[in-house]
Amino acid sequence: MSNEVAEDLQWVNEAFAEDFQRKHADSSSELSKLATRLTEFAVMFDKWDADKSGDLDIEELHTELKKTKGTTHKELIGLMTMVDDDNSGTIRYREFVNLMLIMDGVLTEPIEEIESMQVARRSSSLFAMFGKGGGKAGGKG
């Protein structure tokens, strides 16, 4: 994993942890477990992103989830519908974290992005589009 990708995934992890803490303020033990899981998820996401697009498509997800969790294609489509908040048909890293935490039973529904993160992600995409650098994880979404 390149340093830039690692930094991008860490940035999303930190924002996700903040959102998780807002929603589950009373569970500090869950928050410490979450930090460990987020690190694992970043490595998994990078490994599973076979085409290095920054998003996982249904085939990339199905290949890995079938191996690791026995997930059927039909189950995956239902889960993707739940977490693909921008309806792109692919899963960017933030949506992947929600997917994995739902599959692990930590969440029953996705944690939505806070508005400030959405603005930051859009700004990062604009910088990347115009060659200014600073693009954060998010790929097509």
Side-chain angles (χ1 to χ4, degrees):
M1 180 182 327
S2 74
N3 285 342
E4 183 176 337
V5 170
E7 288 173 12
D8 288 348
L9 297 180
Q10 180 59 33
W11 179 78
V12 175
N13 282 350
E14 289 169 7
F16 191 92
E18 288 175 21
D19 291 349
F20 183 88
Q21 190 172 19
R22 275 187 201 90
K23 190 166 183 165
H24 304 282
D26 58 334
S27 54
S28 60
S29 65
E30 285 296 318
L31 192 58
S32 70
K33 288 182 211 171
L34 178 66
T36 301
R37 293 298 288 149
L38 290 174
T39 301
E40 294 167 359
F41 293 157
V43 172
M44 290 167 67
F45 185 86
D46 184 60
K47 180 181 174 188
W48 293 9
D49 184 14
D51 63 3
K52 299 303 179 203
S53 65
D55 292 342
L56 299 177
D57 63 36
I58 188 104
E59 294 309 318
E60 289 169 322
L61 276 169
H62 186 248
T63 298
E64 297 301 329
L65 289 175
K66 185 177 179 182
K67 284 191 281 189
T68 59
K69 296 190 180 271
T71 305
T72 67
H73 198 268
K74 185 177 180 178
E75 290 169 328
L76 181 55
I77 289 173
L79 288 165
M80 279 189 70
T81 301
M82 183 187 297
V83 300
D84 185 12
D85 59 18
D86 61 357
N87 297 314
S88 65
T90 61
I91 302 296
R92 58 183 202 280
Y93 181 64
R94 168 86 183 200
E95 296 164 330
F96 176 75
V97 170
N98 272 317
L99 174 78
M100 297 307 291
L101 291 175
I102 288 169
M103 292 184 77
D104 287 350
V106 175
L107 299 176
T108 57
E109 61 185 30
I111 294 178
E112 295 180 19
E113 288 184 78
I114 56 171
E115 186 176 330
S116 61
M117 183 170 171
Q118 292 171 346
V119 169
R121 186 166 46 87
R122 281 194 296 269
S123 297
S124 296
S125 296
L126 288 173
F127 281 118
M129 196 166 62
F130 291 106
K132 307 273 188 215
K136 296 293 177 206
K140 302 171 201 147

